Structure formats: C-alpha cells, structure tokens
Amino acid sequence: MSYVDEVIAQVIEKNPSQPEFHQAVKEVLDSLRLVIEQNEDAYRKDALLERLVNPERQLIFRVPWVDDKGQVQVNTGYRVQFNSAIGPYKGGIRLHPSVNLGIIKFLGFEQVFKNSLTGLPIGGGKGGSDFDPKGKSDREVMAFCQSFMTELSKYIGADTDVPAGDIGTGAREIGYMFGQYKRLQNRYEGVLTGKGLSYGGSLARTEATGYGLLYLVEEMMKCHGEEMTGKTVVVSGAGNVAIYAIQKAQQMGAKVVTCSDSTGWIYDPEGIDVDLLKEVKEVKRARLTEYAAARESAVYHEGRGVWAIPCDIALPCATQNELLIDDAKQLVANGCKAVAEGANMPTTLDATAYLQDNGVLFVPGKASNAGGVATSALEMTQNSERLSWSFEEVDSKLQGIMVNIYHNIDNAAKKYGKEGNYVVGANIAGFEKVVSAMNAQGIV
Ligand code: NDP
Ligand code: 2IT
C-alpha cells in the first residue's frame, strides 16, 4: 500500500465517527500523492504524514454557565492546536450546536494549509463549542463566553495561540472573550483577532473574508479572459462571509441574486440589497423571512435551493457539505463557469470532482477564503507595533495577498502537470512551506 493510502486508512481507523476530518484528510493527502511519491522513503522514515494528521495538542473542557432562568447549562469547549511549524496557532472559534471534535479537527487541519498559503507567519488551530448563540440573551452569551474563556485562557496568548471568529462567533462574542482574558491574565495583548476597532481591532477585518474571496475570483476570471462586470452570482449563507462577498461582487459590477440561512433562501432577481441584509442579520439577528417581507422583488423559499438558480459564478459561504453532487450537476447544466468556496469545505468530494471534470474553475476554501485569517495576521502585526493602519492600507495588502495566493496555487498545479486543478495546487503549495519548516525543526 502506498504511504498516502496507509495514512488515510490509519486516520479512519484511529478517529472513528469523525467523517468531516476523514474527508479533509483524504482531500489533502490525495492531492499530495505526486509530491509524497518523490520522497516516499524519507517521509515514511520521519513519519511526516503521521505528524501532519495528528494535532500537536487537543483540549476538551467543560463550559458551565447560568441561563436567564437560573438554570445551569453545560456545554463542551474545544481547542485543537494543530500545527505550529510556521507560527503561533491561529484559527477561529465556532459556536454551533453541531460542533464536535471531528468538526474542529477538520477545520484545524484545513487551517494549517490555508495559513501557510497566506505567506504570513501563522500556524493552524481551531476551537469552538456546541453552544448555540441563537435565541440567547446578551447576558447568556456573555456568561457562556466568560466561562469558555476562563478555561481557554490557560492555553492561549499573543505568541502562543490566537483565536478569532467563525460561525456563531462575531464581534459581540470576541468582545466578551477578550474582556475575560484580560481580566484573568492581567495582560492587554493581541490574544484574539476580529476585535472591535476601539480595543485593538483592524479596519477591514470584518469585510476581509468576503472581499478576499472576490479579489481571488476576479484575478482568476481575468486570467481566463473574463471580467466580473455583468456576471450573475449565486451565494449561499447570510453571515459574515456571505454579506461581504455579496457587497464586493456588486462593487465589481456583478449581480448577486441569492443568499440563504439555516432555514431557507432568497431569490432576488433585482440583486440582493446588502444594506437590508445587514440590517436583518447583523442588527436584528432575524431570519431571512424578514428580508423578503421588506423587499418586493425577493422570493423566500423554505429549505435549500440556491444552486438551482442559473449563474456564472457560485460562492458557497455557509457551512461544510452544503454543495452536493446533484447541486454540482445542476450548476454545470446551467452553464456555471466558476465555483469558489467562501466557507470551509462546503463542497463534497464527489461534487468537487464533477465540477472539475466538467470544466468548471473550482477554488477550494483554504485558498479562496484565506483573506479572513490573512487579515487577522495583519491585525496581529498592528497589535505588536501598537499602531492601526487605514482601511485602504489593510484592504490593499489583502488584495495583494489574494492575488498572490491565486498565482501560487496556479503555478503549483502547473509545476506538477495538473494545470487548472486548484485543489492540487493549493494543497501542494500549502504543504511545501509547512514541511520545510517541520523538517528544519527536527522531530517534534
Ligand atoms: P456566520 O455565523 O456569520 O454565518 C453563517 C451563515 O451560514 C448564516 O447565514 C447561517 O444561517 C448559515 N448556516 C450556518 N450553518 C448552517 C447550516 N448547518 N445549514 C445552513 N446554513 C447554515 O459565519 P461565517 O460567515 O463567519 O462563516 C461561514 C463559513 O465561512 C464557515 O464555513 C466558516 O468556517 C467559513 N469561514 C469564515 C471566516 C470568517 O472570517 N468568519 C474565514 C474563513 C472561512 P443562520 O443565519 O440561520 O445562522
Ligand atoms: O476559517 C477561518 O479561516 C476563520 N474562521 C478565520 C480565522 C482567523 O483566525 O481569522
């Protein structure tokens, strides 16, 4: 059996009931076959792949908090510190009832390669909890965040591990967590990113993941002789990534006609009204039915369905495994030219293969959504030098980073005879830097 197949089999055997982690490992290791085969004996002797798929440290802890009725609730907290070869662990905190160890491990594993692709000095990690912020009062969210941070604060720090936002963790949650960290450690330091502007946050971090996604897509389209103006775009999700992806796509002259949340989706042939969407989701924290109620051109549907709307470009920006094989077939049948992932692993392995086999340009999230974490790294830099950069400065650095990522993954794919396969390109380009750093640091 090849070394790659051996390690995939081991991961499945040693981590039962973690299908998302298996999926992420399979995608990465499958792409790396060409590289691994060239050095198979050396890598096997050094157990390089075993070290790559086993997190350096995994923390699981109890998070007790008191709800508004005086009832004690208990959630489970996680932080997986996956790989620190190229910098302090860096990655978001997901608060969603579906969170379990396998999901945090898949996200942490992806983060290692994503962070490497940014070109900035950040290792990979991820955390979260099965806590659901939906329907909770601000006081309940604060109680949870303070309890979560009381334990997590022992294991993180500006030069050790720097968490940030992800699903369910936005500015409010980061603020409560930062306050509790400072109180416990008596240190005012850049221990979290995505902070508010009044206490060390970076301009453009809120917009960065969605904007970065579009900067990369625009560059890819340009390199294929296409421009964004006049393109029809479908987006899933209605959270941080989706909102700013929609906004930037519209600024580039494209028309975005869909968005979705966990209960339903909107088709708005006039183009999504971003200000209204922000009001519904960022201010009121309401369902998309409120968007439809306020806008005549919009139609609300229960369930899922955005991929059935004809488009030139599809941007999945909600969650993992939300673009399935039948959706891929529909997109191809409708003439979709490009799919770029704003979310982490939103496309299943078979759907990815179908899109690639049918000539759709496909960019994996670890490349196309790297703008968020890249800007987090810029926030860390600003915190270290105790300065704040202008919006334009951060945004232009972000744009440069995304354009670079596109060319790096494109070149890596070409170098290994897989031109246009950005999954292979991203995994190889991300892997090369991590492995070089791991090799230099000995067996750790
Ligand atoms: P948010 O919590 O802001 O938004 C998530 C959106 O997706 C919401 O509209 C939510 O619906 C919807 N959603 C979540 N879970 C499901 C589900 N199970 N089924 C259907 N819809 C769902 O999160 P983000 O926008 O920050 O994150 C979205 C994706 O992007 C995630 O995969 C995340 O890991 C990834 N990502 C985020 C980055 C960031 O900087 N925030 C950076 C890189 C990647 P509802 O409104 O009903 O909750
Ligand atoms: O998946 C991701 O890259 C994020 N949620 C952002 C992580 C970060 O540290 O900004």
Side-chain angles (χ1 to χ4, degrees):
M1 207 193 276
S2 76
Y3 182 34
V4 162
D5 288 318
E6 242 173 62
V7 174
I8 292 176
Q10 264 178 38
V11 165
I12 294 170
E13 195 193 323
K14 280 181 67 176
N15 304 277
S17 328
Q18 296 183 359
E20 294 87 0
F21 181 51
H22 302 168
Q23 183 181 340
V25 168
K26 273 189 215 157
E27 188 223 84
V28 171
L29 294 196
D30 256 335
S31 300
L32 295 178
R33 278 179 201 280
L34 291 167
V35 184
I36 304 294
E37 277 162 14
Q38 289 177 0
N39 299 285
E40 181 148 338
D41 290 345
Y43 285 164
R44 198 193 280 270
K45 185 153 174 278
D46 285 350
L48 180 81
L49 294 183
E50 287 87 338
R51 284 186 289 140
L52 208 57
V53 299
N54 278 289
E56 288 175 16
R57 189 178 294 116
Q58 304 180 59
L59 306 158
I60 305 182
F61 49 92
R62 182 170 75 199
V63 188
W65 56 279
V66 182
D67 73 17
D68 285 346
K69 297 189 184 110
Q71 173 67 47
V72 174
Q73 302 286 342
V74 179
N75 287 103
T76 305
Y78 303 89
R79 185 74 184 167
V80 173
Q81 299 179 330
F82 224 110
N83 191 305
S84 62
I86 64 177
Y89 309 107
K90 182 84 196 83
I93 290 174
R94 179 173 293 192
L95 300 181
H96 192 272
S98 64
V99 164
N100 58 42
L101 182 61
I103 288 186
I104 299 301
K105 279 171 67 182
F106 118 64
L107 290 162
F109 186 68
E110 287 284 294
Q111 200 83 44
V112 174
F113 301 93
K114 180 194 306 192
N115 293 4
S116 169
L117 284 173
T118 65
L120 301 168
I122 38 178
K126 198 85 186 190
S129 175
D130 55 0
F131 173 76
D132 187 357
K134 275 211 192 87
K136 304 286 191 300
S137 68
D138 282 351
R139 196 211 59 81
E140 288 176 322
V141 170
M142 181 170 72
F144 167 83
C145 289
Q146 291 183 338
S147 180
F148 182 81
M149 184 50 86
T150 299
E151 186 60 22
L152 187 65
S153 64
K154 300 167 188 166
Y155 309 102
I156 62 177
D159 294 315
T160 308
D161 182 357
V162 182
D166 193 78
I167 290 178
T169 305
R172 174 181 61 171
E173 291 74 18
I174 293 291
Y176 292 148
M177 288 182 196
F178 184 78
Q180 184 72 352
Y181 178 86
K182 181 164 60 75
R183 185 182 183 202
L184 291 166
Q185 300 291 327
N186 198 26
R187 287 173 69 85
Y188 203 109
E189 60 174 6
V191 67
L192 292 161
T193 60
K195 299 184 293 298
L197 297 177
S198 55
Y199 64 95
S202 173
L203 285 160
R205 175 61 188 90
T206 306
E207 296 85 354
T209 311
Y211 278 21
L213 174 66
L214 268 296
Y215 292 145
L216 185 141
V217 169
E218 184 183 43
E219 182 69 10
M220 174 175 73
M221 297 301 275
K222 201 171 87 189
C223 292
H224 287 82
E226 302 260 5
E227 53 178 33
M228 293 302 292
T229 314
K231 293 283 182 296
T232 301
V233 179
V234 299
V235 168
S236 66
N240 174 265
V241 180
I243 287 172
Y244 294 96
I246 295 170
Q247 188 173 73
K248 185 50 75 178
Q250 289 178 343
Q251 286 172 9
M252 290 175 171
K255 185 186 246 192
V256 183
V257 293
T258 65
C259 63
S260 66
D261 67 11
S262 50
T263 55
W265 59 285
I266 294 284
Y267 175 53
D268 191 339
E270 301 278 298
I272 298 290
D273 178 340
V274 179
D275 290 338
L276 176 60
L277 185 62
K278 285 169 84 168
E279 174 70 19
V280 170
K281 283 292 171 184
E282 291 183 344
V283 182
K284 293 186 179 160
R285 299 180 189 272
R287 292 184 49 194
L288 284 175
T289 41
E290 293 219 9
Y291 177 96
R295 189 153 156 98
E296 205 160 324
S297 55
V299 187
Y300 175 82
H301 301 268
E302 289 287 325
R304 54 194 296 286
V306 297
W307 314 124
I309 300 298
C311 67
D312 300 303
I313 299 169
L315 305 174
C317 297
T319 191
Q320 66 273 1
N321 293 330
E322 51 156 328
L323 198 163
L324 314 177
I325 181 72
D326 287 341
D327 304 319
K329 288 181 179 166
Q330 182 91 67
L331 287 167
V332 168
N334 288 341
C336 174
K337 297 183 180 76
V339 175
E341 297 183 327
N344 285 307
M345 209 170 74
T347 315
T348 57
L349 293 175
D350 54 352
T352 302
Y354 187 88
L355 293 168
Q356 291 178 317
D357 291 347
N358 286 279
V360 177
L361 300 170
F362 178 85
V363 192
K366 61 171 73 70
S368 46
N369 72 35
V373 75
T375 307
S376 278
L378 300 179
E379 182 172 330
M380 291 166 70
T381 307
Q382 293 169 75
N383 291 166
S384 297
E385 62 178 20
R386 298 183 194 279
L387 289 173
S388 301
W389 305 339
S390 67
F391 186 95
E392 290 69 27
E393 187 169 359
V394 180
D395 190 39
S396 95
K397 284 192 165 70
L398 167 64
Q399 198 163 356
I401 289 166
M402 298 313 295
V403 167
N404 244 328
I405 291 177
Y406 171 70
H407 289 288
N408 286 342
I409 67 174
D410 187 42
N411 288 335
K414 284 180 183 149
K415 182 170 145 196
Y416 286 90
K418 297 271 183 184
E419 181 162 357
N421 188 332
Y422 302 124
V423 175
V424 166
N427 286 325
I428 291 180
F431 171 83
E432 278 178 339
K433 181 177 178 188
V434 175
V435 166
S436 151
M438 283 174 76
N439 282 338
Q441 293 172 36
I443 303 304
V444 291

